[in-house]
């Protein structure tokens, strides 16, 4: 006589994904501005280092540094070129600070996490195309234009038959489901307009 034994295997609890609306945007690597700043800093530092080393070796300072020192010593602070240079430097600094403090990659919309260690994003044009294809499946829709940003999905549909209210209701239901089906962390709000095609001539 045999007895069947069943052994229960306990699995470690999986970490729950963050709730909707808590996913941050993807950060852009900003390679071009970083390379530009690094190149300018390297060239400027190398030029000043070479000139200082030449002066320490009892050689005359380079002409550009003598001219720069003379201009800085003789020009008043309210001079036009001084103000222009200060404005350009301030604008470049503000630009660099903006790049450093903002994530960028506005074309990539963050998606909900199905696993805590995996992040996914959906390109804005791909999401707009998915909504357009879903709208074209509605009877009576002739043409659709979709503009998608982080907060809103603007849809303009042209209907050549059926009542506009019926087409609008079907589109609202279909597109609302399609937006939630995209799995975005911040689902955009739907703005829907349905019109008749314009008359030719």
């Amino acid at each position: 006589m045999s007895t069947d034994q069943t052994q229960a295997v306990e699995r470690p609890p999986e970490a729950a994904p963050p709730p909707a609306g808590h996913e941050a945007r993807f950060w852009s690597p900003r390679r071009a501005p970083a390379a530009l700043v690094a190149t300018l800093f390297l060239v400027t530092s190398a030029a000043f280092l070479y000139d200082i080393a030449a002066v320490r070796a009892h050689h005359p300072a380079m002409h550009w540094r003598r001219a720069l020192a003379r201009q800085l010593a003789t020009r008043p602070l309210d001079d036009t070129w001084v103000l222009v240079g200060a404005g350009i430097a301030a604008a470049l600094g503000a630009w660099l600070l903006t790049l450093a403090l903002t994530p960028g990659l506005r074309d990539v919309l963050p998606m909900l996490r199905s696993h805590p260690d995996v992040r996914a994003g959906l390109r804005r044009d791909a999401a707009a195309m998915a909504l357009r294809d879903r709208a074209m499946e509605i009877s009576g829709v002739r043409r659709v234009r979709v503009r998608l940003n982080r907060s809103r999905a603007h849809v303009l549909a042209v209907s050549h038959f059926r009542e506009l209210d019926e087409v609008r209701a079907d589109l609202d239901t279909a597109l609302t489901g399609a937006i939630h089906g995209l799995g975005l962390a911040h689902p955009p709000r739907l703005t829907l307009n349905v019109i008749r095609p314009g008359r030719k001539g």
Side-chain angles (χ1 to χ4, degrees):
M1 183 176 180
S2 61
T3 304
D4 295 335
Q5 296 180 351
T6 303
Q7 183 180 3
V9 179
E10 295 184 1
R11 296 182 179 179
E14 295 182 357
H22 286 69
E23 285 295 330
R25 283 169 52 185
F26 290 86
W27 281 78
S28 171
R30 304 263 167 75
R31 295 185 179 88
L36 178 62
V37 172
T39 301
L40 291 176
F41 183 78
L42 179 63
V43 171
T44 304
S45 301
F48 275 102
L49 182 61
Y50 176 81
D51 189 58
I52 292 173
V55 172
R56 292 287 185 178
H58 306 290
H59 293 284
M62 299 182 70
H63 175 72
W64 64 268
R65 192 162 75 91
R66 294 199 306 269
L68 178 61
R70 184 168 56 253
Q71 291 291 337
L72 292 176
T74 57
R75 284 185 180 271
L77 293 179
D78 58 351
D79 184 78
T80 302
W81 288 108
V82 174
L83 296 177
V84 169
I88 293 175
L92 288 176
W95 176 61
L96 292 176
L97 283 176
T98 302
L99 292 180
L101 298 177
T102 55
L105 289 183
R106 300 182 62 85
D107 288 337
V108 180
L109 303 174
M111 303 178 67
L112 289 173
R113 292 195 189 190
S114 57
H115 191 279
D117 296 330
V118 178
R119 290 193 66 196
L122 181 64
R123 292 191 63 86
R124 191 179 302 176
D125 53 355
M129 185 178 297
L131 296 181
R132 178 187 176 278
D133 292 343
R134 183 66 185 92
M136 290 298 296
E137 296 175 0
I138 302 301
S139 176
V141 175
R142 180 178 181 180
R143 207 167 50 248
V144 178
R145 186 178 65 189
V146 179
R147 292 186 297 109
L148 187 66
N149 54 39
R150 285 180 52 82
S151 60
R152 287 193 176 273
H154 301 273
V155 179
L156 175 64
V158 178
S159 176
H160 59 296
F161 69 92
R162 293 181 67 196
E163 292 294 331
L164 293 184
D165 291 339
E166 296 178 1
V167 177
R168 185 179 293 106
D170 291 345
L171 281 172
D172 184 75
T173 302
L175 292 176
T176 300
I179 288 174
H180 289 287
L182 294 174
L184 298 177
H186 311 274
R189 297 180 60 184
L190 177 63
T191 301
L192 176 61
N193 290 317
V194 182
I195 61 174
R196 291 294 187 195
R199 293 186 177 182
K200 296 182 179 180

